[in-house]
Amino acid sequence: MALTLTRIASAFGYFSTIPRLLFTNAGSQQLPAMSLCRFYIFQPFSAGSASPEDGAGENYSEFQRWHNGGGTFHKSAQIDPSASVDIGAVVHSKAVVGAHVHIGSGAIIGPSVTIGQSTKIGYNVALSNCTVGDLCVIHNGVCIGQDGFGFLVDEHGNMLKKPQMLNARIGSNVEIGANSCIDRGSWRDTVVGDHSKIDNLVQIAHNVVIGKCCMLCGQVGIAGSVTVGDYVTMGGRVLVRDHVSIASKVRLAGASCVTKHITEPGDYGGFPAVPIHEWRRQVIMHRLAVKKKNP
């Protein structure tokens, strides 16, 4: 047992303490053998003596506790003194956090993130490779700035990841609902304009540009490289295919699917989405055909 504990102590750098505890009567009376095992196995993993490098290359010794809320921040991060970082939140190196920002517990603010003043970040939010404007509300579980879903097929039929190297830019006075996801760009930044409102469970893919004062209801899915104008409203579960443009002041009925460009303002619906009056005529004609077939 003594030899085993000595090897354990040597592995963690305790060369002088373990022999004194093991080979003196006082030490053996104070700590039984099992207590010594517990002490020397678990002590090195405490916060005060963590490994100097983690998987992301961050140095643990450079993280400190924020005075307002008890969260953790890297000493190279720029955080306004009025900001609140709740316990369990982490602000990584070179992140910028503006005045009166509130960051909830479990939130992760990555190294390439800038947050404007008076923005509220909910619990378990993950921000990376993005900027967030002033007076925004980011609800619980939102992810912004992760890689988009882009892959290439090589000559051997293998799937290769397409580089996702750009950012996501969120304007001011934007609200993003719980568990929504906004990917970073690959050939242009992903953008959400000022005063736009996004409901829960919305997916915005890479390279999407959304104008100002848009409203996206629950479970909307926008594929890559879509361009959306200003004052656009999408009902629940609207789908937009990739590389489609939607003009300003368009309203899309719930569960519609946009498969081609919409160039004129107005109301649209259906699959594929057409002007709302045409869609209504299609629905009526279908019902009449069904009744005629099954009287």
Side-chain angles (χ1 to χ4, degrees):
M1 174 64 75
L3 181 58
T4 301
L5 291 174
T6 304
R7 290 175 178 171
I8 295 173
S10 299
F12 291 110
Y14 293 97
F15 293 103
S16 59
T17 307
I18 190 70
R20 178 172 56 81
L21 289 171
L22 282 174
F23 302 115
T24 62
N25 291 332
S28 61
Q29 292 174 1
Q30 291 173 2
L31 290 174
M34 185 55 69
S35 298
L36 284 173
C37 287
R38 291 172 178 166
F39 178 79
Y40 284 107
I41 290 174
F42 292 104
Q43 178 67 18
F45 294 96
S46 66
S49 57
S51 173
E53 299 276 338
D54 68 6
E58 296 280 13
N59 191 327
Y60 288 159
S61 65
E62 296 182 350
F63 283 88
Q64 303 171 9
R65 177 167 294 182
W66 185 245
H67 68 276
N68 186 8
T72 303
F73 74 101
H74 193 275
K75 66 181 183 181
S76 69
Q78 300 178 34
I79 307 178
D80 189 275
S82 63
S84 173
V85 182
D86 286 354
I87 189 166
V90 179
V91 180
H92 283 267
S93 60
K94 300 181 180 179
V96 178
V97 178
H100 306 293
V101 169
H102 179 265
I103 300 174
S105 296
I108 305 297
I109 311 302
S112 302
V113 173
T114 299
I115 302 175
Q117 62 182 356
S118 301
T119 287
K120 296 181 179 180
I121 307 296
Y123 302 141
N124 298 318
V125 170
L127 303 182
S128 59
N129 311 298
C130 69
T131 61
V132 180
D134 302 333
L135 298 165
C136 293
V137 179
I138 312 297
H139 288 282
N140 302 340
V142 168
C143 294
I144 302 175
Q146 64 281 345
D147 284 356
F149 191 72
F151 297 90
L152 301 172
V153 180
D154 65 11
E155 62 274 13
H156 304 293
N158 299 317
M159 299 291 290
L160 303 179
K161 186 176 180 63
K162 183 179 180 180
Q164 310 286 308
M165 302 298 293
L166 300 181
N167 299 319
R169 293 189 284 116
I170 312 301
S172 297
N173 292 282
V174 173
E175 183 160 345
I176 302 176
N179 295 320
S180 293
C181 297
I182 302 175
D183 296 339
R184 67 191 297 197
S186 60
W187 63 270
R188 67 178 179 183
D189 286 348
T190 303
V191 178
V192 177
D194 296 343
H195 298 279
S196 290
K197 311 300 179 185
I198 298 172
D199 199 359
N200 301 337
L201 297 169
V202 171
Q203 160 66 16
I204 299 175
H206 56 183
N207 312 317
V208 171
V209 175
I210 296 174
K212 64 181 181 181
C213 298
C214 293
M215 182 174 293
L216 279 58
C217 297
Q219 297 186 358
V220 163
I222 303 180
S225 303
V226 168
T227 301
V228 179
D230 303 329
Y231 302 99
V232 172
T233 299
M234 298 185 186
R237 300 186 70 183
V238 164
L239 303 177
V240 184
R241 62 153 290 181
D242 57 300
H243 298 275
V244 163
S245 295
I246 299 176
S248 297
K249 298 183 179 180
V250 166
R251 297 193 302 176
L252 291 161
S256 301
C257 181
V258 179
T259 60
K260 60 182 180 180
H261 300 311
I262 296 178
T263 58
E264 297 293 332
D267 296 342
Y268 294 80
F271 188 151
V274 293
I276 198 73
H277 299 297
E278 182 179 341
W279 175 56
R280 288 170 179 165
R281 283 196 297 269
Q282 291 175 357
V283 172
I284 293 172
M285 291 175 63
H286 175 72
R287 289 181 177 176
L288 292 175
V290 171
K291 286 183 179 180
K292 187 175 181 179
K293 185 177 180 180
N294 302 301

